[in-house]
Amino acid sequence: MNSVEMRTEQSIEKKFVSYVSRNIWGMIGISAYILADTFFISMAEGANGITALNLVLPLYSLIFGIGSMIGVGSATRFNILKTRKDKSCDDYFSNALMFAVLLSSVFMVAGAFFPGWLIEVLGGDRQIVAIGTPYTRIFMLFAPFFMANYICNAFVRNDGNPSLAMKATLLSSLFNIVMDYILMFPLGLGMTGAALATVFSPIVGILICCKHFFSKENSVRFLWKKPSVSKLFQSCQLGTAALIGEISSGVTTAIFNFLILSLAGKDGVAAYGIVANTAIVATSIFNGISFGAQPILSESYGKGETQSVKKLLRLAIGCALICSIGILLLTNLGTETIVSFFNSENNPVMENYALTGVRLYFIGFLFAGFNIVGTGYLSATENAGWAFITSLLRGIGAIAFCAFVLAHFFGMTGIWLAFPAAEGITAIVMMIAIRRNGRSAAFR
């Protein structure tokens, strides 16, 4: 290896560490406010509050997923075209924002007129519907801001400012946590206060991202042009993995809620709420690795730097493996602490379910990190087909199959083992996808 290649390798590694570390902290920030929501709601409303929150998480995931698909896909397309000096890259930011507003209007209408019905469809009884309706109505009315925040953050990150993207995420999450407490307890607004804190946090994130858009370093353009469906489709092809990555938790939550309600009732759903919300923190770490590596991967891919792309993939997988082992150790050593943190009512039934759940469910993160990083790599290198297949398998197909089959034979134990089984199946397919992608014409 000559001196130029050595400097390139060192530069790639340094850039990887810089981007990934900032994105991990940023994604942990997002998960922190979800945990804060869960904790404060458990204090204010007990197990019923956690159950209501868990039942509407699929709606959250769908809104976040669409915003992530448009944002990550459009920003990836923008980055590849910018690297190739293609002036059409300027169209993607405004196109993404316009379609986010159009698509989010569906959620606004549903939130304004049918929030109680949505909770009932998702499995809530009369008491849960009463607790969860104000929360659901408010966060769905603010769907455009959640989607726009994802888009702004993705473009700031891909335009060479991962530090500001991290600050936007962390500060908006801190705002949410502080306002959660103030609105729910001193002001006594309960679930309504939790919803208000949540919906204003993306506005804070967008305002912070605007610092980059008005800076001299900015190369992102907002153009008043007619929205292009073809450009949206091109973007969404590369953002499908991000969509399924987001909604997979929602799909998993919806399936698990229905199965658990029949097996263990509301205490079981509340226990799953603890497991699922804790798992969001672990998932956020791997999303941070994937999102952090994606701009560098797409840039290297756009320049045709095959060796750099392969180097980045090895770095990302290695980082994910180390984090997977660390997460498994921490959750096994601190299971009682995690569960007691959310069990303000000292509910022994919920506690027993949750203790078993955390220990078994988190085994799946030995494979999940590899799968999340793998789908990010496939999207960044324009392999939308394999990215879609692996994301769909992981987020919907494998988890649904494993949940129904294992729950039938092993009850609640089968529910907790469904996630590890599904991630293990996906990991096998992911290895095939990565090997075939590496042999494709794009990498010869």
Side-chain angles (χ1 to χ4, degrees):
M1 183 182 291
N2 59 41
S3 59
V4 175
E5 290 174 328
M6 287 182 65
R7 284 196 298 271
T8 301
E9 290 287 301
Q10 291 169 355
S11 175
I12 285 290
E13 291 178 2
K14 186 176 180 181
K15 203 170 184 180
F16 175 84
V17 172
S18 175
Y19 272 63
V20 167
S21 60
R22 285 171 170 81
N23 276 276
I24 287 175
W25 283 113
M27 296 308 295
I28 287 176
I30 292 176
S31 64
Y33 84 70
I34 296 174
L35 281 181
D37 256 1
T38 307
F39 173 70
F40 289 133
I41 288 171
S42 72
M43 294 289 290
E45 303 288 350
N48 283 338
I50 297 178
T51 301
L53 178 64
N54 204 48
L55 288 178
V56 300
L57 275 179
L59 299 175
Y60 254 126
S61 297
L62 187 57
I63 293 171
F64 288 175
I66 293 173
S68 182
M69 175 181 65
I70 297 174
V72 172
S74 298
T76 301
R77 186 69 68 185
F78 160 81
N79 206 27
I80 292 172
L81 293 174
K82 184 179 73 170
T83 302
R84 294 172 179 170
K85 311 297 183 185
D86 188 328
K87 292 184 179 180
S88 67
C89 68
D90 290 336
D91 298 339
Y92 284 87
F93 180 59
S94 50
N95 201 62
L97 287 176
M98 289 177 186
F99 274 106
V101 172
L102 289 171
L103 293 172
S104 62
S105 62
V106 177
F107 295 97
M108 295 175 70
V109 171
F113 298 105
F114 315 113
W117 177 79
L118 288 171
I119 299 171
E120 190 174 345
V121 167
L122 290 168
D125 59 21
R126 185 176 299 177
Q127 188 177 14
I128 300 301
V129 169
I131 291 172
T133 294
Y135 187 93
T136 306
R137 175 179 286 117
I138 292 169
F139 86 72
M140 292 189 73
L141 286 172
F142 280 76
F145 295 99
F146 289 115
M147 292 188 188
N149 186 39
Y150 258 100
I151 293 166
C152 291
N153 200 281
F155 272 87
V156 168
R157 183 173 62 242
N158 279 32
D159 200 34
N161 201 342
S163 181
L164 184 65
M166 176 195 69
K167 289 176 184 176
T169 305
L170 289 176
L171 290 175
S172 62
S173 297
L174 179 61
F175 171 87
N176 190 350
I177 293 169
V178 172
M179 293 307 296
D180 251 339
Y181 173 77
I182 293 172
L183 293 173
M184 290 185 73
F185 296 103
L187 296 182
L189 296 179
M191 292 284 281
T192 299
L196 289 172
T198 298
V199 300
F200 283 116
S201 65
I203 299 174
V204 173
I206 292 169
L207 292 173
I208 294 171
C209 285
C210 285
K211 181 181 178 182
H212 175 78
F213 297 138
F214 291 105
S215 70
K216 293 180 181 179
E217 292 77 21
N218 174 54
S219 62
V220 179
R221 304 283 181 264
F222 184 90
L223 304 175
W224 287 104
K225 296 177 68 173
K226 182 180 178 181
S228 168
V229 175
S230 64
K231 284 186 171 60
L232 176 69
F233 180 73
Q234 291 167 15
S235 299
C236 289
Q237 282 183 310
L238 301 184
T240 303
L243 165 69
I244 298 177
E246 285 289 342
I247 69 170
S248 64
S249 62
V251 171
T252 302
T253 300
I255 292 171
F256 280 32
N257 284 341
F258 281 115
L259 291 173
I260 292 171
L261 278 171
S262 64
L263 291 170
K266 289 192 291 186
D267 285 331
V269 173
Y272 177 58
I274 294 173
V275 175
N277 282 287
T278 306
I280 287 173
V281 179
T283 303
S284 72
I285 294 172
F286 301 120
N287 282 334
I289 298 170
S290 180
F291 289 165
Q294 178 265 320
I296 327 171
L297 276 166
S298 59
E299 181 182 348
S300 298
Y301 173 78
K303 292 178 180 177
E305 297 174 349
T306 305
Q307 293 306 313
S308 294
V309 171
K310 292 180 178 179
K311 173 74 172 180
L312 287 164
L313 176 61
R314 288 194 295 270
L315 286 170
I317 291 175
C319 186
L321 180 60
I322 292 169
C323 291
S324 297
I325 295 170
I327 288 167
L328 192 62
L329 289 173
L330 285 173
T331 51
N332 271 274
L333 293 173
T335 310
E336 290 82 2
T337 303
I338 293 168
V339 174
S340 63
F341 185 72
F342 297 103
N343 190 16
S344 60
E345 295 179 318
N346 294 315
N347 183 328
V349 178
M350 182 180 73
E351 180 182 18
N352 287 333
Y353 282 133
L355 288 171
T356 304
V358 170
R359 292 187 179 108
L360 296 179
Y361 190 94
F362 273 75
I363 296 171
F365 284 105
L366 286 173
F367 310 106
F370 171 69
N371 293 333
I372 292 170
V373 166
T375 54
Y377 156 76
L378 293 170
S379 295
T381 54
E382 292 191 296
N383 199 325
W386 273 113
F388 176 76
I389 292 169
T390 52
S391 298
L392 191 66
L393 179 64
R394 174 179 179 263
I396 299 173
I399 191 68
F401 174 78
C402 292
F404 282 106
V405 171
L406 294 178
H408 176 75
F409 288 104
F410 304 108
M412 284 296 292
T413 300
I415 291 286
W416 303 132
L417 288 174
F419 176 68
E423 293 292 347
I425 292 169
T426 305
I428 296 171
V429 178
M430 183 63 69
M431 286 189 284
I432 297 170
I434 290 174
R435 285 178 66 87
R436 290 195 175 183
N437 191 52
R439 292 173 181 171
S440 69
F443 289 91
R444 286 176 187 168

